[in-house]
Amino acid sequence: MTHPSDSTTTPADAARADLHGRHVVLGLSGGIACYKAAELARALVKAGATVQVVMTEAAEQFITPVTMQALSGRPVFTSAWDTRDVDGNANNMAHINLTRHADAVLVAPASADFMAKLLHGRADDLLSLLCLARPIETCPLLIAPAMNREMWAHPATQRNVAQLRADGTHLLGPDSGEQACGEVGEGRMLEPEQLLEELIGFFRPKPLAGKRVLITAGPTFEPIDPVRGITNLSSGKMGFAIARAAAEAGAEVTLVTGPVHVGTPRGVRRIDVRTALQMADAVIPLAPTQDVFIATAAVADWRPATLAEQKIKKNGSKVAPTFELTENPDILAAVAKQALVEGHPFCVGFAAESHDLLKHAREKRERKQIPLIVGNLGPATFGRDDNALVLVDAHSHRDLPPADKLTLARWLITDIAQRLQSTETPL
Ligand code: C5P
């Protein structure tokens, strides 16, 4: 199940300015998805990027350069014969100059026709010309296809997609769903916030490339009867941020989550569960195939021993019902036990404590026999966008200062990647 991401909107994201210092050429080819490019330009600017918009003649049929100039804060280029200076260069070669200081060219929307053009190296308008003339080593090309589902599925387009990939072009999407034409299928352009998340991830270092990371997140829900249950206040935000950071770092990520209201990070495989037993059933068979296991879920320690098949009613006698509880399996401890034998996955636990954080985290790490535990003050962090962590291993501890959860997640993932590397590097 996938959910739209909500990554562009939080104040934490704005404060982080993930694209600070990046210069992006945003190309628009013709398609109704051009209206989304306006929002994308705004989101890129908000994330700290400088954005140079270049539009094809067809794109101008859908949205005006005036709109794109207002949102990007820079004059828009539309013609190969445009004589204006670029970055102070007056040699009348916009098709060269526009990409010489760019960190990437992102074409969104990329129409079927534009993709066919790119494939053949044709260069009869400014946008295709600059894509061909860009320095291929330093200025990657990303495209976000947008077209009717029949056009996307057509063998010609699929052939072009395969060849564009082989030529080093990065494809973002497309998504499937309702289309402007009223049909439903694959070919919809990704939403602006999804494209932003993809671009931010694209620029991140990839220390976990080729690694598999399994993460648990959120609370569990232990039913008492068909309408009631035992749960807790975990929002899932920390686990989801870690999943995003791991995916950005190049890992293949599986996220097993209890009931939460958080959007799935791009590129993450999500498995939804409700109870601790279901979480254990999803995690334990998968764990031996993984390089890293990070248990952030607030798993209920106990569940009702029996499930009432019908809603428990008030009986006239005013006697409150009582419930017998039974212990849930400790998922992390089970995976860690297996890992001691197999040598993997590298297990990371979380300790949410209300006091004496370091002491309790140390004890928990030893009890669970895991190499690394991450301590945080539980009641202070549940549901919030920021947090502070302490990383505790067998020898020492390291404080990660207060920050938004994605920043902390990236620091944690960098730390884990270094630990993996040092265990893999022969002495
Ligand atoms: O023992 P405690 O619940 O405090 O341990 C917390 C750590 O263990 C967290 O990493 C949590 O995800 C994991 N855990 C688990 N299965 C349980 C209980 C906790 O994986 N049943």
PDB file of all heavy atoms in Angstrom, residues 37-68:
ATOM      1  N   ALA A  37       4.190  21.396 -12.452  1.00  0.00           N
ATOM      2  CA  ALA A  37       5.564  21.902 -12.480  1.00  0.00           C
ATOM      3  C   ALA A  37       5.654  23.248 -11.757  1.00  0.00           C
ATOM      4  O   ALA A  37       6.714  23.605 -11.226  1.00  0.00           O
ATOM      5  CB  ALA A  37       6.055  22.029 -13.916  1.00  0.00           C
ATOM      6  N   ALA A  38       4.539  23.989 -11.725  1.00  0.00           N
ATOM      7  CA  ALA A  38       4.531  25.264 -11.010  1.00  0.00           C
ATOM      8  C   ALA A  38       4.762  25.019  -9.519  1.00  0.00           C
ATOM      9  O   ALA A  38       5.615  25.646  -8.881  1.00  0.00           O
ATOM     10  CB  ALA A  38       3.187  25.967 -11.241  1.00  0.00           C
ATOM     11  N   GLU A  39       4.050  24.073  -8.997  1.00  0.00           N
ATOM     12  CA  GLU A  39       4.194  23.708  -7.579  1.00  0.00           C
ATOM     13  C   GLU A  39       5.589  23.131  -7.306  1.00  0.00           C
ATOM     14  O   GLU A  39       6.188  23.394  -6.269  1.00  0.00           O
ATOM     15  CB  GLU A  39       3.119  22.656  -7.255  1.00  0.00           C
ATOM     16  CG  GLU A  39       3.032  22.287  -5.814  1.00  0.00           C
ATOM     17  CD  GLU A  39       1.754  22.806  -5.184  1.00  0.00           C
ATOM     18  OE1 GLU A  39       0.768  22.982  -5.909  1.00  0.00           O
ATOM     19  OE2 GLU A  39       1.777  23.008  -3.963  1.00  0.00           O
ATOM     20  N   LEU A  40       6.073  22.355  -8.267  1.00  0.00           N
ATOM     21  CA  LEU A  40       7.401  21.762  -8.107  1.00  0.00           C
ATOM     22  C   LEU A  40       8.469  22.859  -8.033  1.00  0.00           C
ATOM     23  O   LEU A  40       9.362  22.798  -7.176  1.00  0.00           O
ATOM     24  CB  LEU A  40       7.689  20.807  -9.275  1.00  0.00           C
ATOM     25  CG  LEU A  40       9.092  20.195  -9.313  1.00  0.00           C
ATOM     26  CD1 LEU A  40       9.374  19.366  -8.055  1.00  0.00           C
ATOM     27  CD2 LEU A  40       9.270  19.327 -10.565  1.00  0.00           C
ATOM     28  N   ALA A  41       8.368  23.852  -8.909  1.00  0.00           N
ATOM     29  CA  ALA A  41       9.351  24.948  -8.900  1.00  0.00           C
ATOM     30  C   ALA A  41       9.363  25.613  -7.523  1.00  0.00           C
ATOM     31  O   ALA A  41      10.420  25.878  -6.945  1.00  0.00           O
ATOM     32  CB  ALA A  41       9.010  25.968  -9.980  1.00  0.00           C
ATOM     33  N   ARG A  42       8.187  25.827  -6.986  1.00  0.00           N
ATOM     34  CA  ARG A  42       8.054  26.473  -5.678  1.00  0.00           C
ATOM     35  C   ARG A  42       8.672  25.613  -4.576  1.00  0.00           C
ATOM     36  O   ARG A  42       9.395  26.100  -3.711  1.00  0.00           O
ATOM     37  CB  ARG A  42       6.566  26.690  -5.413  1.00  0.00           C
ATOM     38  CG  ARG A  42       6.253  27.562  -4.262  1.00  0.00           C
ATOM     39  CD  ARG A  42       4.737  27.790  -4.255  1.00  0.00           C
ATOM     40  NE  ARG A  42       4.265  27.987  -2.898  1.00  0.00           N
ATOM     41  CZ  ARG A  42       4.382  29.114  -2.227  1.00  0.00           C
ATOM     42  NH1 ARG A  42       4.940  30.150  -2.800  1.00  0.00           N
ATOM     43  NH2 ARG A  42       3.935  29.222  -1.001  1.00  0.00           N
ATOM     44  N   ALA A  43       8.390  24.307  -4.656  1.00  0.00           N
ATOM     45  CA  ALA A  43       8.920  23.391  -3.641  1.00  0.00           C
ATOM     46  C   ALA A  43      10.445  23.319  -3.715  1.00  0.00           C
ATOM     47  O   ALA A  43      11.123  23.273  -2.682  1.00  0.00           O
ATOM     48  CB  ALA A  43       8.315  21.997  -3.831  1.00  0.00           C
ATOM     49  N   LEU A  44      11.002  23.334  -4.927  1.00  0.00           N
ATOM     50  CA  LEU A  44      12.462  23.281  -5.076  1.00  0.00           C
ATOM     51  C   LEU A  44      13.096  24.535  -4.479  1.00  0.00           C
ATOM     52  O   LEU A  44      14.109  24.461  -3.773  1.00  0.00           O
ATOM     53  CB  LEU A  44      12.847  23.159  -6.555  1.00  0.00           C
ATOM     54  CG  LEU A  44      12.460  21.862  -7.273  1.00  0.00           C
ATOM     55  CD1 LEU A  44      12.718  21.969  -8.773  1.00  0.00           C
ATOM     56  CD2 LEU A  44      13.228  20.671  -6.704  1.00  0.00           C
ATOM     57  N   VAL A  45      12.471  25.677  -4.750  1.00  0.00           N
ATOM     58  CA  VAL A  45      12.993  26.942  -4.211  1.00  0.00           C
ATOM     59  C   VAL A  45      12.904  26.927  -2.681  1.00  0.00           C
ATOM     60  O   VAL A  45      13.852  27.290  -1.976  1.00  0.00           O
ATOM     61  CB  VAL A  45      12.232  28.147  -4.814  1.00  0.00           C
ATOM     62  CG1 VAL A  45      12.578  29.436  -4.086  1.00  0.00           C
ATOM     63  CG2 VAL A  45      12.546  28.278  -6.309  1.00  0.00           C
ATOM     64  N   LYS A  46      11.770  26.455  -2.166  1.00  0.00           N
ATOM     65  CA  LYS A  46      11.604  26.387  -0.707  1.00  0.00           C
ATOM     66  C   LYS A  46      12.635  25.470  -0.063  1.00  0.00           C
ATOM     67  O   LYS A  46      13.052  25.684   1.073  1.00  0.00           O
ATOM     68  CB  LYS A  46      10.199  25.882  -0.355  1.00  0.00           C
ATOM     69  CG  LYS A  46       9.199  27.011  -0.154  1.00  0.00           C
ATOM     70  CD  LYS A  46       7.807  26.501   0.024  1.00  0.00           C
ATOM     71  CE  LYS A  46       7.519  25.975   1.410  1.00  0.00           C
ATOM     72  NZ  LYS A  46       6.115  25.552   1.540  1.00  0.00           N
ATOM     73  N   ALA A  47      13.044  24.439  -0.808  1.00  0.00           N
ATOM     74  CA  ALA A  47      14.047  23.506  -0.277  1.00  0.00           C
ATOM     75  C   ALA A  47      15.467  24.043  -0.439  1.00  0.00           C
ATOM     76  O   ALA A  47      16.424  23.347  -0.130  1.00  0.00           O
ATOM     77  CB  ALA A  47      13.911  22.149  -0.957  1.00  0.00           C
ATOM     78  N   GLY A  48      15.606  25.276  -0.958  1.00  0.00           N
ATOM     79  CA  GLY A  48      16.924  25.918  -0.980  1.00  0.00           C
ATOM     80  C   GLY A  48      17.607  25.933  -2.329  1.00  0.00           C
ATOM     81  O   GLY A  48      18.701  26.490  -2.458  1.00  0.00           O
ATOM     82  N   ALA A  49      17.002  25.317  -3.359  1.00  0.00           N
ATOM     83  CA  ALA A  49      17.656  25.256  -4.672  1.00  0.00           C
ATOM     84  C   ALA A  49      17.489  26.568  -5.430  1.00  0.00           C
ATOM     85  O   ALA A  49      16.532  27.308  -5.190  1.00  0.00           O
ATOM     86  CB  ALA A  49      17.061  24.114  -5.493  1.00  0.00           C
ATOM     87  N   THR A  50      18.418  26.831  -6.359  1.00  0.00           N
ATOM     88  CA  THR A  50      18.142  27.846  -7.376  1.00  0.00           C
ATOM     89  C   THR A  50      17.610  27.081  -8.585  1.00  0.00           C
ATOM     90  O   THR A  50      18.113  26.009  -8.920  1.00  0.00           O
ATOM     91  CB  THR A  50      19.395  28.651  -7.765  1.00  0.00           C
ATOM     92  OG1 THR A  50      20.438  27.727  -8.111  1.00  0.00           O
ATOM     93  CG2 THR A  50      19.859  29.534  -6.636  1.00  0.00           C
ATOM     94  N   VAL A  51      16.569  27.634  -9.196  1.00  0.00           N
ATOM     95  CA  VAL A  51      15.859  26.907 -10.246  1.00  0.00           C
ATOM     96  C   VAL A  51      15.834  27.738 -11.520  1.00  0.00           C
ATOM     97  O   VAL A  51      15.341  28.872 -11.522  1.00  0.00           O
ATOM     98  CB  VAL A  51      14.411  26.598  -9.796  1.00  0.00           C
ATOM     99  CG1 VAL A  51      13.652  25.861 -10.901  1.00  0.00           C
ATOM    100  CG2 VAL A  51      14.408  25.767  -8.515  1.00  0.00           C
ATOM    101  N   GLN A  52      16.390  27.170 -12.583  1.00  0.00           N
ATOM    102  CA  GLN A  52      16.338  27.821 -13.891  1.00  0.00           C
ATOM    103  C   GLN A  52      15.339  27.065 -14.760  1.00  0.00           C
ATOM    104  O   GLN A  52      15.562  25.903 -15.091  1.00  0.00           O
ATOM    105  CB  GLN A  52      17.720  27.801 -14.550  1.00  0.00           C
ATOM    106  CG  GLN A  52      17.725  28.343 -15.965  1.00  0.00           C
ATOM    107  CD  GLN A  52      17.239  29.793 -16.020  1.00  0.00           C
ATOM    108  OE1 GLN A  52      17.837  30.672 -15.415  1.00  0.00           O
ATOM    109  NE2 GLN A  52      16.133  30.043 -16.721  1.00  0.00           N
ATOM    110  N   VAL A  53      14.232  27.712 -15.085  1.00  0.00           N
ATOM    111  CA  VAL A  53      13.201  27.042 -15.874  1.00  0.00           C
ATOM    112  C   VAL A  53      13.465  27.211 -17.368  1.00  0.00           C
ATOM    113  O   VAL A  53      13.797  28.304 -17.825  1.00  0.00           O
ATOM    114  CB  VAL A  53      11.799  27.586 -15.514  1.00  0.00           C
ATOM    115  CG1 VAL A  53      10.731  26.942 -16.410  1.00  0.00           C
ATOM    116  CG2 VAL A  53      11.490  27.330 -14.037  1.00  0.00           C
ATOM    117  N   VAL A  54      13.314  26.101 -18.095  1.00  0.00           N
ATOM    118  CA  VAL A  54      13.391  26.108 -19.561  1.00  0.00           C
ATOM    119  C   VAL A  54      12.132  25.397 -20.053  1.00  0.00           C
ATOM    120  O   VAL A  54      11.805  24.302 -19.579  1.00  0.00           O
ATOM    121  CB  VAL A  54      14.653  25.368 -20.056  1.00  0.00           C
ATOM    122  CG1 VAL A  54      14.688  25.316 -21.586  1.00  0.00           C
ATOM    123  CG2 VAL A  54      15.915  26.044 -19.522  1.00  0.00           C
ATOM    124  N   MET A  55      11.421  26.040 -21.004  1.00  0.00           N
ATOM    125  CA  MET A  55      10.159  25.457 -21.470  1.00  0.00           C
ATOM    126  C   MET A  55      10.175  25.226 -22.973  1.00  0.00           C
ATOM    127  O   MET A  55      10.747  26.024 -23.724  1.00  0.00           O
ATOM    128  CB  MET A  55       8.994  26.408 -21.138  1.00  0.00           C
ATOM    129  CG  MET A  55       8.795  26.578 -19.648  1.00  0.00           C
ATOM    130  SD  MET A  55       7.624  27.900 -19.230  1.00  0.00           S
ATOM    131  CE  MET A  55       6.086  27.240 -19.836  1.00  0.00           C
ATOM    132  N   THR A  56       9.513  24.157 -23.425  1.00  0.00           N
ATOM    133  CA  THR A  56       9.345  23.961 -24.866  1.00  0.00           C
ATOM    134  C   THR A  56       8.135  24.783 -25.314  1.00  0.00           C
ATOM    135  O   THR A  56       7.336  25.249 -24.485  1.00  0.00           O
ATOM    136  CB  THR A  56       9.098  22.484 -25.211  1.00  0.00           C
ATOM    137  OG1 THR A  56       7.843  22.090 -24.644  1.00  0.00           O
ATOM    138  CG2 THR A  56      10.200  21.571 -24.690  1.00  0.00           C
ATOM    139  N   GLU A  57       7.995  24.896 -26.631  1.00  0.00           N
ATOM    140  CA  GLU A  57       6.862  25.633 -27.188  1.00  0.00           C
ATOM    141  C   GLU A  57       5.552  24.973 -26.759  1.00  0.00           C
ATOM    142  O   GLU A  57       4.576  25.648 -26.420  1.00  0.00           O
ATOM    143  CB  GLU A  57       6.989  25.621 -28.713  1.00  0.00           C
ATOM    144  CG  GLU A  57       6.347  26.777 -29.393  1.00  0.00           C
ATOM    145  CD  GLU A  57       6.539  26.677 -30.910  1.00  0.00           C
ATOM    146  OE1 GLU A  57       7.651  26.382 -31.370  1.00  0.00           O
ATOM    147  OE2 GLU A  57       5.528  26.884 -31.617  1.00  0.00           O
ATOM    148  N   ALA A  58       5.559  23.634 -26.740  1.00  0.00           N
ATOM    149  CA  ALA A  58       4.340  22.904 -26.356  1.00  0.00           C
ATOM    150  C   ALA A  58       3.987  23.171 -24.890  1.00  0.00           C
ATOM    151  O   ALA A  58       2.811  23.320 -24.540  1.00  0.00           O
ATOM    152  CB  ALA A  58       4.523  21.406 -26.599  1.00  0.00           C
ATOM    153  N   ALA A  59       5.010  23.263 -24.032  1.00  0.00           N
ATOM    154  CA  ALA A  59       4.747  23.525 -22.605  1.00  0.00           C
ATOM    155  C   ALA A  59       4.046  24.866 -22.433  1.00  0.00           C
ATOM    156  O   ALA A  59       3.180  25.029 -21.560  1.00  0.00           O
ATOM    157  CB  ALA A  59       6.053  23.488 -21.816  1.00  0.00           C
ATOM    158  N   GLU A  60       4.405  25.831 -23.293  1.00  0.00           N
ATOM    159  CA  GLU A  60       3.798  27.167 -23.199  1.00  0.00           C
ATOM    160  C   GLU A  60       2.304  27.164 -23.524  1.00  0.00           C
ATOM    161  O   GLU A  60       1.604  28.128 -23.236  1.00  0.00           O
ATOM    162  CB  GLU A  60       4.514  28.149 -24.135  1.00  0.00           C
ATOM    163  CG  GLU A  60       5.883  28.538 -23.633  1.00  0.00           C
ATOM    164  CD  GLU A  60       6.498  29.598 -24.534  1.00  0.00           C
ATOM    165  OE1 GLU A  60       6.100  30.765 -24.418  1.00  0.00           O
ATOM    166  OE2 GLU A  60       7.347  29.230 -25.367  1.00  0.00           O
ATOM    167  N   GLN A  61       1.841  26.076 -24.143  1.00  0.00           N
ATOM    168  CA  GLN A  61       0.402  25.951 -24.394  1.00  0.00           C
ATOM    169  C   GLN A  61      -0.351  25.643 -23.092  1.00  0.00           C
ATOM    170  O   GLN A  61      -1.563  25.791 -23.010  1.00  0.00           O
ATOM    171  CB  GLN A  61       0.121  24.818 -25.394  1.00  0.00           C
ATOM    172  CG  GLN A  61       0.685  25.052 -26.780  1.00  0.00           C
ATOM    173  CD  GLN A  61      -0.017  26.194 -27.504  1.00  0.00           C
ATOM    174  OE1 GLN A  61      -1.233  26.316 -27.430  1.00  0.00           O
ATOM    175  NE2 GLN A  61       0.756  27.032 -28.173  1.00  0.00           N
ATOM    176  N   PHE A  62       0.385  25.135 -22.093  1.00  0.00           N
ATOM    177  CA  PHE A  62      -0.271  24.682 -20.863  1.00  0.00           C
ATOM    178  C   PHE A  62      -0.070  25.632 -19.686  1.00  0.00           C
ATOM    179  O   PHE A  62      -0.885  25.687 -18.778  1.00  0.00           O
ATOM    180  CB  PHE A  62       0.259  23.292 -20.473  1.00  0.00           C
ATOM    181  CG  PHE A  62      -0.120  22.223 -21.459  1.00  0.00           C
ATOM    182  CD1 PHE A  62       0.703  21.909 -22.530  1.00  0.00           C
ATOM    183  CD2 PHE A  62      -1.333  21.556 -21.333  1.00  0.00           C
ATOM    184  CE1 PHE A  62       0.343  20.934 -23.446  1.00  0.00           C
ATOM    185  CE2 PHE A  62      -1.699  20.581 -22.250  1.00  0.00           C
ATOM    186  CZ  PHE A  62      -0.867  20.270 -23.314  1.00  0.00           C
ATOM    187  N   ILE A  63       1.059  26.326 -19.665  1.00  0.00           N
ATOM    188  CA  ILE A  63       1.349  27.228 -18.545  1.00  0.00           C
ATOM    189  C   ILE A  63       2.269  28.328 -19.081  1.00  0.00           C
ATOM    190  O   ILE A  63       3.059  28.075 -19.998  1.00  0.00           O
ATOM    191  CB  ILE A  63       1.996  26.445 -17.365  1.00  0.00           C
ATOM    192  CG1 ILE A  63       2.100  27.287 -16.113  1.00  0.00           C
ATOM    193  CG2 ILE A  63       3.351  25.872 -17.736  1.00  0.00           C
ATOM    194  CD1 ILE A  63       2.430  26.467 -14.871  1.00  0.00           C
ATOM    195  N   THR A  64       2.172  29.518 -18.525  1.00  0.00           N
ATOM    196  CA  THR A  64       2.967  30.610 -19.124  1.00  0.00           C
ATOM    197  C   THR A  64       4.327  30.747 -18.433  1.00  0.00           C
ATOM    198  O   THR A  64       4.458  30.479 -17.231  1.00  0.00           O
ATOM    199  CB  THR A  64       2.244  31.969 -19.009  1.00  0.00           C
ATOM    200  OG1 THR A  64       2.226  32.346 -17.638  1.00  0.00           O
ATOM    201  CG2 THR A  64       0.835  31.906 -19.565  1.00  0.00           C
ATOM    202  N   PRO A  65       5.309  31.246 -19.191  1.00  0.00           N
ATOM    203  CA  PRO A  65       6.616  31.554 -18.595  1.00  0.00           C
ATOM    204  C   PRO A  65       6.487  32.579 -17.470  1.00  0.00           C
ATOM    205  O   PRO A  65       7.295  32.589 -16.548  1.00  0.00           O
ATOM    206  CB  PRO A  65       7.426  32.111 -19.766  1.00  0.00           C
ATOM    207  CG  PRO A  65       6.779  31.550 -20.987  1.00  0.00           C
ATOM    208  CD  PRO A  65       5.318  31.430 -20.663  1.00  0.00           C
ATOM    209  N   VAL A  66       5.462  33.425 -17.530  1.00  0.00           N
ATOM    210  CA  VAL A  66       5.263  34.444 -16.478  1.00  0.00           C
ATOM    211  C   VAL A  66       5.081  33.753 -15.127  1.00  0.00           C
ATOM    212  O   VAL A  66       5.696  34.123 -14.121  1.00  0.00           O
ATOM    213  CB  VAL A  66       4.019  35.309 -16.803  1.00  0.00           C
ATOM    214  CG1 VAL A  66       3.741  36.283 -15.665  1.00  0.00           C
ATOM    215  CG2 VAL A  66       4.227  36.059 -18.110  1.00  0.00           C
ATOM    216  N   THR A  67       4.227  32.735 -15.111  1.00  0.00           N
ATOM    217  CA  THR A  67       3.987  31.984 -13.867  1.00  0.00           C
ATOM    218  C   THR A  67       5.281  31.350 -13.382  1.00  0.00           C
ATOM    219  O   THR A  67       5.633  31.445 -12.196  1.00  0.00           O
ATOM    220  CB  THR A  67       2.940  30.870 -14.124  1.00  0.00           C
ATOM    221  OG1 THR A  67       1.767  31.485 -14.626  1.00  0.00           O
ATOM    222  CG2 THR A  67       2.631  30.085 -12.871  1.00  0.00           C
ATOM    223  N   MET A  68       6.007  30.714 -14.299  1.00  0.00           N
ATOM    224  CA  MET A  68       7.213  29.994 -13.894  1.00  0.00           C
ATOM    225  C   MET A  68       8.316  30.959 -13.451  1.00  0.00           C
ATOM    226  O   MET A  68       9.089  30.651 -12.549  1.00  0.00           O
ATOM    227  CB  MET A  68       7.710  29.089 -15.032  1.00  0.00           C
ATOM    228  CG  MET A  68       6.738  27.976 -15.414  1.00  0.00           C
ATOM    229  SD  MET A  68       6.185  26.947 -14.020  1.00  0.00           S
ATOM    230  CE  MET A  68       7.691  26.112 -13.546  1.00  0.00           C
TER     231      MET A  68
END
